[in-house]
Amino acid sequence: MDTRLVCPLLPHIPQTIPYPCTCHLLAVFCNVAIFYLYAVIFPYFYTIAWTLQQVMAFVSLDRSVWLTVAFTFDRFVAICCQDFKSRYCTVRIARVAIATVYVVSLIRNIPYSISFQSRHLHLSLGCEAKPEYYSHPEWIAFSWIHNILTPLLPFFVIVLLNILTVRSIVVASRARRKLRAPVSGEKQEDPEIESGRKSIILLFCVSGSFILLWLTEVMLKIYTDIANKHYVPNWAHPRTMANTAGEMLKLLSSCTNTFIYVVTQSKVRDELKNAIKYPSTMCLKLVRR
């Protein structure tokens, strides 16, 4: 049995991690900065602008969720699949995976562009979901497929991969302890075991926060679809408050993912600094020319 444990982040991860971080921040920007702030300042902007914002919000949130799944799968392959790791854990594969998530998320949410209508009969102002969105079989099927793909399927995938990854790390750690058992009874530090412990902590921080923060939204969505209660009488209704809390928590998930990446990984911090400095560096090069 191979008892080696990999480091928490392989060399290819710091080179690609700014893209997932950017996607998490983009989800917060599209769902908070554009929607809430713009809606407060310009509550009656045109339906086409509102529809575009809604599509951008769905797309950015899907990207954030599935990049969390991709991160979890990357850790699973790096730790549990030693033979497959050399072919999969490369910069090219990581970039292809990120680009695939971006493109599929965009295509999958295009139907939302025709699911909204004007809130006023004779003016193209405001926006709300069409009545047939909650009654037609095609839209109901689309809604259920969307809910299964984000975030029900990611829930189960993340939990399964984390269980397999932690099991592999624990088995390898026990084997190393037996091989390195001190004769004199002195406690020896093993960098590989410490690396495995950090991998477990990082996995549970990223994946655990995702599951906990999405839980309210998932349970409420399942309840409203099964009970067919999509409308609430007023803003003070308990279901409205629960829906608002669920929205806030799921958006907070995108914030926490970026925060965890930056706080726990020094190489990620360096790459983010380079990404921030890149525009100014290019401008200086152009000026010098």
Side-chain angles (χ1 to χ4, degrees):
M1 180 180 61
D2 191 352
T3 59
R4 294 173 297 172
L5 295 177
V6 298
C7 295
L9 286 179
L10 294 179
H12 80 285
I13 291 295
Q15 300 179 35
T16 58
I17 204 73
Y19 299 100
C21 286
T22 302
C23 185
H24 293 316
L25 294 176
L26 186 61
V28 177
F29 179 76
C30 291
N31 286 271
V32 179
I34 294 181
F35 178 72
Y36 289 103
L37 297 181
Y38 193 38
V40 170
I41 299 174
F42 304 104
Y44 299 107
F45 60 96
Y46 288 100
T47 303
I48 186 172
W50 187 294
T51 302
L52 179 61
Q53 185 277 326
Q54 290 290 328
V55 174
M56 290 174 57
F58 282 118
V59 171
S60 61
L61 205 57
D62 276 359
R63 290 172 179 174
S64 177
V65 170
W66 280 100
L67 284 176
T68 303
V69 176
F71 175 84
T72 306
F73 180 75
D74 181 271
R75 298 297 83 220
F76 167 75
V77 171
I79 294 174
C80 302
C81 307
Q82 296 292 325
D83 296 334
F84 185 53
K85 181 181 70 174
S86 59
R87 299 195 302 271
Y88 173 78
C89 295
T90 62
V91 176
R92 186 180 67 84
I93 294 297
R95 289 174 176 169
V96 170
I98 293 172
T100 302
V101 170
Y102 272 55
V103 173
V104 173
S105 297
L106 177 61
I107 295 175
R108 192 165 68 85
N109 288 279
I110 288 178
Y112 279 112
S113 62
I114 58 174
S115 66
F116 297 99
Q117 66 180 10
S118 174
R119 192 170 286 143
H120 306 274
L121 293 177
H122 305 291
L123 295 175
S124 182
L125 296 174
C127 186
E128 63 182 6
K130 296 179 179 179
E132 54 266 28
Y133 180 79
Y134 302 112
S135 58
H136 283 203
E138 296 83 0
W139 281 115
I140 294 175
F142 171 77
S143 178
W144 272 101
I145 292 173
H146 179 83
N147 294 333
I148 290 173
L149 294 177
T150 305
L152 292 179
L153 182 59
F155 263 45
F156 293 107
V157 172
I158 288 174
V159 170
L160 176 62
L161 292 178
N162 278 349
I163 291 174
L164 295 176
T165 304
V166 171
R167 177 182 175 275
S168 177
I169 293 175
V170 171
V171 171
S173 298
R174 289 176 180 174
R176 288 188 63 87
R177 287 194 184 97
K178 291 180 180 179
L179 293 174
R180 294 171 56 89
V183 179
S184 60
E186 296 179 357
K187 185 178 180 180
Q188 298 180 357
E189 293 185 358
D190 189 341
E192 296 293 338
I193 294 179
E194 182 66 19
S195 175
R197 186 183 67 83
K198 292 180 179 179
S199 296
I200 294 176
I201 293 174
L202 183 61
L203 277 173
F204 276 100
C205 285
V206 174
S207 306
S209 66
F210 167 77
I211 293 174
L212 291 176
L213 293 175
W214 270 86
L215 189 60
T216 303
E217 175 75 8
V218 171
M219 299 303 295
L220 186 62
K221 191 67 177 177
I222 293 175
Y223 167 75
T224 55
D225 286 344
I226 294 177
N228 195 24
K229 294 182 178 180
H230 300 282
Y231 298 100
V232 291
N234 52 65
W235 288 101
H237 195 276
R239 192 147 46 88
T240 305
M241 298 179 184
N243 184 60
T244 304
E247 289 282 339
M248 179 188 67
L249 291 174
K250 77 176 182 181
L251 295 177
L252 183 61
S253 174
S254 299
C255 299
T256 56
N257 286 340
T258 304
F259 178 77
I260 291 171
Y261 292 146
V262 173
V263 170
T264 59
Q265 302 298 324
S266 58
K267 291 184 178 180
V268 175
R269 292 194 295 270
D270 294 338
E271 288 296 325
L272 286 176
K273 290 178 182 177
N274 293 335
I276 295 173
K277 294 178 181 178
Y278 181 77
S280 59
T281 303
M282 292 300 297
C283 291
L284 290 175
K285 290 182 179 179
L286 293 174
V287 170
R288 289 175 181 175
R289 288 181 182 177

